[in-house]
Amino acid sequence: LAQYRLIIDKRLAEQELTQKNLALAASNVELAKQKYLLEHELNMAKTVYGNVVSYQHDRLDGLNYACFPKEEVGGDFLLTYTGWDRQTFYLMLGDLTGHGLQSALAVLLVAECFERHCQSEPDIEMLASHINAKMRGKLPIGLFCAAALVKLDLPRRRLTLWQGGMPDAYFLNEGGRVVQSMASNNLPLGVCHEQNFAGTAGSYPLNEIENLFLCTDGLGEQLGAGMVPFGDRRLRDALLDTPAGGSRVDFVMARLRRHQHSHEQSDDIALLELNLPRICKALE
């Protein structure tokens, strides 16, 4: 009887093992299918994102930009547009919520709206309003875009800056000292229909500005030793300490990586510097 029970238990164990092996094989097939679909979506997102972030991106002298996504496809992007007579220049530095295919498709929609409306050379507040309406009408709730929009008007010698949900922007003198900081006074794009854009942009004479520095929030929020964020003070010090003739974008990133040390990058990071005399000369 004892031997008989052992034989029965062995057969039951073999049957159970066979069933589990079949279930595992089916799970492996499903996992392989999901892996293929995810890789396919990621490759699609990378293609879309790669095309869009260089979409209408004029590599003008005086424009220095770098982007460091946390993952292969991030939500930070740069769009530029030069008028047909090269008398106007538009720029958008954006930070979309999310990553992957979601961000890539959202950037595609924003880029299409940006280029189409820049062709009519609108005021920067009108451009922000158009993009906001497009996002509210086409994208799901909860997907929004912190952004800085810049317009250079060469005939009037003016720079117009609109900010929504972005870190402070900085005007710098030739030595890298911050002469003025501008805080965002608007909600990010895509948050609500009722946002009032009138009178929320700042207008500045070009002959009083040497450099404009912009960045997304991933820069200041990056943690380092003791879980301390990089913050505004370290950013200002890095801007001031940049060697003459050096790239402030590269120098700030070097300081950030040193501060970051062994901590993982917590968010997408994008930073940009406009040298106004050089970019105006390039346009002219």
Side-chain angles (χ1 to χ4, degrees):
L1 287 174
Q3 188 174 0
Y4 172 77
R5 292 192 187 98
L6 287 173
I7 292 171
I8 295 301
D9 289 344
K10 180 182 177 183
R11 288 178 180 175
L12 290 174
E14 288 174 347
Q15 290 175 2
E16 184 180 358
L17 181 61
T18 300
Q19 291 174 354
K20 288 185 176 180
N21 284 337
L22 290 173
L24 181 61
S27 296
N28 286 336
V29 170
E30 183 63 25
L31 286 173
K33 179 181 177 182
Q34 293 298 325
K35 181 174 181 288
Y36 170 79
L37 292 174
L38 287 171
E39 289 177 345
H40 179 68
E41 285 190 353
L42 179 59
N43 288 331
M44 182 188 300
K46 288 166 65 177
T47 300
V48 173
Y49 184 75
N51 290 336
V52 169
V53 293
S54 59
Y55 187 68
Q56 281 292 321
H57 178 46
D58 298 313
R59 299 188 178 280
L60 294 168
D61 180 47
L63 171 58
N64 191 7
Y65 168 74
C67 183
F68 304 89
K70 178 186 175 185
E71 301 171 4
E72 292 188 73
V73 179
D76 291 0
F77 63 92
L78 172 69
L79 303 172
T80 63
Y81 181 88
T82 304
W84 65 271
D85 58 357
R86 301 182 70 81
Q87 294 299 294
T88 55
F89 175 77
Y90 290 88
L91 177 149
M92 178 178 185
L93 180 65
D95 179 3
L96 274 159
T97 53
H99 304 279
L101 188 58
Q102 170 184 286
S103 291
L105 294 177
V107 172
L108 187 63
L109 180 140
V110 172
E112 184 275 332
C113 184
F114 175 84
E115 185 199 18
R116 180 160 57 88
H117 287 288
C118 282
Q119 292 174 8
S120 60
E121 300 187 359
D123 292 338
I124 208 72
E125 291 156 337
M126 184 61 68
L127 178 61
S129 179
H130 285 311
I131 297 173
N132 183 73
K134 186 78 168 182
M135 292 185 67
R136 289 288 301 174
K138 299 296 183 181
L139 296 178
I141 295 173
L143 188 60
F144 55 88
C145 181
L149 294 165
V150 176
K151 178 182 179 180
L152 297 184
D153 186 335
L154 267 62
R156 296 176 59 222
R157 307 301 296 177
R158 305 289 296 182
L159 178 149
T160 311
L161 172 65
W162 182 94
Q163 298 164 269
M166 290 285 277
D168 289 358
Y170 299 109
F171 287 148
L172 312 172
N173 61 19
E174 191 173 357
R177 185 174 298 279
V178 175
V179 295
Q180 187 175 351
S181 61
M182 289 73 66
S184 291
N185 57 351
N186 296 277
L187 294 172
L189 298 171
V191 172
C192 65
H193 284 299
E194 298 78 15
Q195 189 168 172
N196 179 20
F197 294 90
T200 59
S203 181
Y204 310 91
L206 287 177
N207 59 355
E208 296 180 6
I209 306 169
E210 182 73 22
N211 296 284
L212 169 64
F213 185 88
L214 300 168
C215 64
T216 56
D217 59 6
L219 179 69
E221 294 174 0
Q222 177 60 53
L223 298 177
M227 303 299 289
V228 177
F230 188 66
D232 178 70
R233 181 182 60 79
R234 290 181 179 83
L235 171 58
R236 286 173 174 252
D237 289 344
L239 292 171
L240 183 60
D241 294 343
T242 303
S247 165
R248 289 194 177 90
V249 167
D250 293 341
F251 193 82
V252 168
M253 278 308 300
R255 281 282 179 90
L256 178 72
R257 295 307 187 199
R258 191 169 67 186
H259 169 81
Q260 178 183 348
H261 193 50
S262 59
H263 287 263
E264 291 187 2
Q265 184 172 320
S266 55
D267 195 5
D268 302 326
I269 296 171
L271 53 167
L272 174 150
E273 182 183 17
L274 278 180
N275 181 284
L276 276 304
R278 284 167 52 195
I279 200 166
C280 288
K281 183 177 180 180
L283 288 168
E284 291 167 347

